[in-house]
Amino acid sequence: MTPLYMAFLGGGLLCLIGQLIMDLTKANITPGHILVGYISTGAILSGLGVYQPLVEAVGAGATIPLSGFGHLLVQGTLKAVERDGLLGAFSGGVEAAAAGITCAIVFGYVAAVLFNPKD
Amino acid sequence: MPAYKKRGSQTVVFEDPPVITSWASIVGPKEGQGPWGGDFDQVLPDYLLGEKTWEKAERKMLQQAVSLALSKRDLQVDDAEVILAGDLLNQTVSANYAARELARPFLGLYGACSTMAEALLLGAMLVDGKFFNRLVSATSSHHYAASRQYRFPTEQGTQSTPSTQWTATAAGAVVLEWEGVGPRVTAATIGKVVDLGQTDIADMGSAMAPAAAHTLKTHLEDLELLPDYYDLILTGDLARVGMAIAEQLFIRDGLVPRPNYSDCGVLLYDEKQDVDAGGCGCGCAAAMLCGPLLKKMLAGEINKLLLVATGALMSPTMSFQGESIPGIAHAVAIEN
Amino acid sequence: MNVDAKKMHQIEIQEYQNLVDGIKPKPDVLKNCIWAFLVGGAICALGQLMLNYLLSLGMSRIDASSTVSCIMIFLAAFFTGIGIYDELGKRAGAGSIVPITGFANAIVASAMEYKREGYIFGVGARIFSVAGPTLVFGFAVAVLIGLIKVFLSS
């Protein structure tokens, strides 16, 4: 099991990189850009085989950041390709991330219906 | 007859300066907690005014400001011959729907945060041109209604930069008449759209400062005046960052900004109020004018005021398409 | 505009940019980074705590991981709903955006604000205003990598 301080350190550093991107670049970087950037980068690093060692080292410190979500999508895809070939390339990602995506949409919808923005 | 009221390249001087006979301002809770809280006619307890949406609350606030300005002079809404109004929302819906309720002849205006000056100068022209005897110029903005159109949803955890401005929840209205008692609109300068390539949507002040400097310089040149002719020169909504830049531009143009120069966006809030660079929005300049400023003119503390309201004329769509932010500024001289 | 005027305008823009750069206050990078590090680290440590607990119950690593994600998303949706997450975000910046809780926050915040435009084209459509692009890019990269693997192994 990964110790808590490793998760803290890993997750903290990944967030710190995001902060540096927002503060030091001139372009209008919005949270949406950060999210898209992290999921894509995580997926690419996962495809290159770099992300798995990071997950082994810092555990949730690498899976909780959105780059970990990209990693999950890619690992699911790669596994499904081994199993089902070409079809797996299209089905594996959603399969692996199904719970997370469904939770996000359903909890998101319910929270939006139940609560009001403050005024 | 040629345009004998025109001076220089962009300025007009009114022959029979229209009188601001009455005015009213309504502000939101945050603005009420600011340094001028006691100078506004009404401070709202919340952001909804009993309405279901922020957009409906904004239009109600605008409508009430118009009625209030008229009633302070014992007039009815029907006594306004024309209403000139505008706001920040798409298709200027706050002004349009407020005008639906007010049921008076209506001209809708858009000049972003410069709309109050635009409404004032056009109103003064209509009165001085003897087309109408009495009209109302008004504008409004609502923080949360504007935020979701221009920025992020309010509950999204986003970090603002030090140059971000806080859209004011405020409305202001003035009654302009051809005769009466009160400060008079004596001259006005119609601004040019100036764009020096700024693209940061979290920094409107830097985008608008060149327009403010250009309009002020043109105004003084057209009328052959020195800046100290005015007791107070007030730019609209440049806020701290834009004001600091504007001061540098004034100095470059040979104008001395201090001590009688300030900015509505800087004045409206206290620095501790978590508004980053300061205020913005159509309501910011409108409420400052129709609250503390005209009050001070009435008391004789200020006798010659030049309001240079600035506006950033972009939209989120244009920003996404990579366009820079065009700025505009209109100047209106108000004298006792 | 002729060539000279265009050039002059370019110079004016550059000069103005220099003026703006000199005056515009910079974000407090150090303070922001410390906040981002601490808050982001804390959120991940919380996730690890849950993960360790679920693993100790004998759950498989994959199931435990998914369960933790779901719980984190639920918490973020809840704290966004009661108006706390955005207060955290004002300070923490990337610290509260990068974790999966930031993804959930973006979903709820945009959906909630459009409730007054209706439940189908208000909430239902806006729920994807930030989630949509994120998922599109995630899937696109994953499928591309999957196709490369199919190609390499054939």
Side-chain angles (χ1 to χ4, degrees), chain B residues 28-76:
Chain B
K30 197 179 181 93
E31 292 68 27
Q33 287 156 15
W36 309 98
D39 291 315
F40 303 113
D41 292 294
Q42 257 185 49
V43 177
L44 302 173
D46 61 43
Y47 288 95
L48 280 174
L49 281 93
E51 295 291 329
K52 283 212 168 66
T53 72
W54 294 318
E55 287 78 4
K56 288 181 184 174
E58 178 177 345
R59 88 175 62 138
K60 191 172 177 184
M61 185 168 69
L62 179 60
Q63 187 192 329
Q64 286 180 352
V66 172
S67 310
L68 187 61
L70 287 162
S71 68
K72 277 168 86 175
R73 202 174 129 61
D74 294 322
L75 293 169
Q76 305 294 318

Side-chain angles (χ1 to χ4, degrees), chain B residues 24-28 31 44 47 49 54-67 83-99 102 106-120 136-147 149-150 166-174 237 268-269 280-290 310:
Chain B
S25 52
I26 301 179
V27 299
E31 292 68 27
L44 302 173
Y47 288 95
L49 281 93
W54 294 318
E55 287 78 4
K56 288 181 184 174
E58 178 177 345
R59 88 175 62 138
K60 191 172 177 184
M61 185 168 69
L62 179 60
Q63 187 192 329
Q64 286 180 352
V66 172
S67 310
I83 292 168
L84 303 175
D87 61 278
L88 283 179
L89 302 183
N90 287 338
Q91 288 83 35
T92 61
V93 282
S94 303
N96 297 346
Y97 284 77
L102 294 164
F106 163 69
L107 290 169
L109 304 172
Y110 186 80
C113 308
S114 73
T115 310
M116 193 60 203
E118 188 180 356
L120 258 178
V136 177
S137 297
T139 60
S140 67
S141 57
H142 188 295
H143 179 76
Y144 293 106
S147 266
Q149 180 178 319
Y150 287 98
W166 181 276
T167 310
T169 304
V174 300
D237 324 351
L268 185 63
Y269 300 100
C280 68
C282 302
C284 180
M288 280 307 292
L289 177 71
C290 304
T310 54

Side-chain angles (χ1 to χ4, degrees), chain B residues 52-54 148 153-159 162-163 195-198 200 203 206 209-210 241 244-245 248-249, chain C residues 9 12-13 16-17 19-20 23-26 32 80 83 86 90-91 93 105 109-110 112-114 116-117:
Chain B
K52 283 212 168 66
T53 72
W54 294 318
R148 69 180 202 147
T154 48
E155 296 299 330
Q156 193 168 344
T158 53
Q159 209 164 31
S163 58
D195 186 337
L196 289 184
Q198 291 294 301
D200 186 356
D203 182 13
S206 299
V241 177
I245 293 169
Q248 292 304 312
L249 295 175
Chain C
H9 190 58
E12 200 184 1
I13 283 177
Y16 185 63
Q17 190 60 49
L19 175 67
V20 170
I23 291 175
K24 196 162 158 176
K26 302 278 174 291
N32 288 349
T80 303
D86 71 309
K90 270 183 202 165
R91 306 240 174 275
N105 166 249
S110 21
M112 190 157 64
E113 196 130 301
Y114 282 84
R116 286 144 187 168
E117 281 75 17

